Amino acid sequence: MKVVLSTWGRFHFFHLARQFEKRGVLERIFTTYPMFKLRDEGLPAGRIQSDAVIGTFLLGKARFGLQYPPLDRPLQHLMVDVHDRYMQRRMPPCDVFIALSGSGQVIGAEVQKNGGAYICERGSSHIAWGDDMMAEEFERWGLTPVRTSQRYIDREEVEYRQCDRLVVPSNFVKRSFVERGVSADKIEVNGYGADLGRFQKVAEPPVDQFVVLFVGGVRFRKGIPYLLEAFRRFEHPNKVLKIIGAVLSEIRDYLSTAPLDGVEFLGIVPNSELPTHMSRAHAMVLPSLEEGMALVQAEALACGCPVIATRNTGGEDLFDDGQQGFLGPIRDPQFIADRLQLLADDPALRERLSHSAQQRLLTIGGWDQYGERYMDICRAVMGKAALTAVNQA
């Protein structure tokens, strides 16, 4: 078996590449991430092909929360076209081509014509489902939605139909595809592995303060307004909400009038400091409207920090409601406030959830298990591709 990967940036695809390299089947990984950022990925240099000029510029803008749709959109279109042409010139023969959604339409079709199999990997909800969700959210706050390019939506929807298998990280994502008419039989759920060696309980939460933590980009997609309102409603004589992550330009006007008493914006912090922040928090809240599988939840659980999350975060695939944290609906600040109140008013309950969170992580598979499940998926699509070739002969 020979496998080729394609991804925008890095995401989880380099974890997958290492798994395939370990099993001797990785042929190449194509990426728009800069090579100097990939030196520590543990892959032979010859396995990585990078066309990174446009991707590096967009990555830098995103890291500092800078958005400018009139420029961003044509640059994204150009990056797609350049990546297609780059792969076409360098594509080796393969049995299975696995592409992050949006990056596989052209090469996927060519691989299939040559008798190979094409897997489309989508890391978050169906592109049109998510776009409609976020347009609705912007309108709720009196803002003009920044819609995804229709050209990009059309491209991904072609990929969903064209691929031999669609792989997603959580059951929430699968439901979003089924709601948009994709057959459940075509979708495989393969939750990401969790590399939790660095994440463990290294401190205790303070006894004279109740610390709530959020980790992620500060944007509407993450449900920030509902978090801030929940924190306002939550009653405690000495409470603090620590927000770690870049503040995107889209939400700055909202934040200028939002309830921010007791809220601390810490910006981007080194990954090495996250275990301490998570260990010292009484709870981490992730009120996202949509994301595939936020591994920050698993990291917090590993540090003994109970998680309060919406069901649109992939959390249901990571922990049990009421056992290691709480899962609830989107756009419901009262749900969040009530669970924070419950944890603050019942320290014994919080301790039980904290202990159970650390135990739960022992049952979450690592990247080796993720890689083995992917090998099974590849074997299955190769068999399907071979059968199709025979029937067409």
Side-chain angles (χ1 to χ4, degrees):
M1 182 194 304
K2 294 182 179 180
V3 179
V4 173
L5 307 179
S6 169
T7 180
W8 310 123
R10 183 166 52 180
F11 295 102
H12 62 287
F13 261 52
F14 279 83
H15 288 293
L16 180 57
R18 284 190 294 275
Q19 290 299 319
F20 285 141
E21 177 68 16
K22 184 187 299 186
R23 291 165 174 80
V25 300
L26 179 67
E27 190 69 17
R28 203 74 48 84
I29 177 168
F30 291 92
T31 178
T32 59
Y33 210 67
M35 283 296 293
F36 74 89
K37 287 275 193 177
L38 300 171
R39 292 170 183 161
D40 298 327
E41 288 294 339
L43 292 173
R47 296 276 192 246
I48 304 173
Q49 295 282 302
S50 170
D51 57 305
V53 175
I54 303 171
T56 301
F57 179 72
L58 292 172
L59 183 70
K61 286 173 75 281
R63 178 173 176 79
F64 293 101
L66 302 176
Q67 295 174 300
Y68 186 60
L71 175 63
D72 295 345
R73 182 164 293 180
L75 281 176
Q76 288 165 350
H77 290 165
L78 180 60
M79 183 176 72
V80 169
D81 294 339
V82 168
H83 193 61
D84 281 343
R85 292 196 296 271
Y86 184 86
M87 286 192 292
Q88 282 182 306
R89 292 194 300 269
R90 295 166 175 82
M91 186 70 183
C94 68
D95 301 298
V96 182
F97 175 59
I98 304 173
L100 195 64
S101 61
S103 74
Q105 180 187 359
V106 173
I107 302 300
E110 292 181 2
V111 169
Q112 288 172 318
K113 286 178 183 177
N114 292 325
Y118 165 35
I119 295 173
C120 177
E121 168 103 15
R122 175 70 178 169
S124 57
S125 61
H126 184 291
I127 190 169
W129 189 100
D131 192 58
D132 286 347
M133 165 69 77
M134 291 315 304
E136 179 184 301
E137 184 66 14
F138 272 70
E139 290 167 358
R140 285 171 68 96
W141 298 101
L143 301 172
T144 301
V146 180
R147 301 299 301 246
T148 303
S149 161
Q150 189 60 48
R151 172 185 166 184
Y152 204 85
I153 290 176
D154 292 344
R155 179 184 172 101
E156 286 218 7
E157 290 187 325
V158 167
E159 291 178 333
Y160 302 160
R161 294 189 295 270
Q162 174 186 333
C163 67
D164 297 293
R165 200 72 170 156
L166 185 59
V167 178
V168 300
S170 68
N171 281 287
F172 155 65
V173 174
K174 181 176 180 176
R175 289 194 296 272
S176 76
F177 275 86
V178 173
E179 285 183 27
R180 289 291 172 143
V182 178
S183 170
D185 293 338
K186 189 174 188 175
I187 306 168
E188 188 81 37
V189 176
N190 188 13
Y192 303 144
D195 184 7
L196 300 172
R198 293 184 297 107
F199 288 88
Q200 54 187 305
K201 192 174 182 65
V202 296
E204 294 291 336
V207 296
D208 58 345
Q209 187 181 54
F210 194 91
V211 180
V212 182
L213 182 66
F214 169 86
V215 180
V218 183
R219 59 191 304 183
F220 286 107
R221 176 173 171 260
K222 294 285 189 175
I224 293 297
Y226 309 104
L227 169 61
L228 295 177
E229 176 59 21
F231 185 71
R232 185 190 69 81
R233 297 181 190 184
F234 163 54
E235 296 181 359
H236 192 278
N238 190 14
K239 62 181 183 179
V240 61
L241 168 59
K242 296 185 177 184
I243 295 180
I244 293 176
V247 179
L248 272 68
S249 57
E250 69 180 40
I251 204 168
R252 293 184 190 276
D253 287 345
Y254 163 78
L255 291 176
S256 68
T257 60
L260 297 180
D261 288 347
V263 180
E264 298 178 4
F265 289 88
L266 304 183
I268 299 171
V269 306
N271 236 352
S272 59
E273 296 178 11
L274 286 179
T276 299
H277 284 289
M278 291 173 172
S279 297
R280 290 183 55 79
H282 292 85
M284 189 183 79
V285 181
L286 194 63
S288 303
L289 301 181
E290 75 88 23
E291 54 187 300
M293 176 176 277
L295 285 179
V296 68
Q297 297 171 103
E299 293 165 354
L301 294 172
C303 296
C305 181
V307 174
I308 302 171
T310 68
R311 296 187 183 277
N312 290 14
T313 62
E316 65 185 311
D317 295 81
L318 291 171
F319 68 94
D320 302 314
D321 182 32
Q323 299 300 311
Q324 298 86 28
F326 301 102
L327 291 162
I330 61 171
R331 299 180 176 135
D332 193 340
Q334 194 58 52
F335 172 86
I336 298 170
D338 288 346
R339 272 45 182 195
L340 288 173
Q341 201 70 57
L342 190 61
L343 294 174
D345 293 346
D346 190 347
L349 171 64
R350 205 207 76 85
E351 284 298 320
R352 288 198 299 274
L353 264 61
S354 175
H355 177 73
S356 181
Q358 295 173 79
Q359 296 300 116
R360 176 71 178 90
L361 265 294
L362 300 177
T363 69
I364 292 179
W367 290 107
D368 284 345
Q369 292 93 326
Y370 170 82
E372 196 53 48
R373 291 192 299 268
Y374 230 122
M375 288 293 290
D376 290 339
I377 295 170
C378 289
R379 294 184 189 104
V381 295
M382 283 177 61
K384 176 185 173 184
L387 181 61
T388 299
V390 169
N391 290 336
Q392 292 176 344

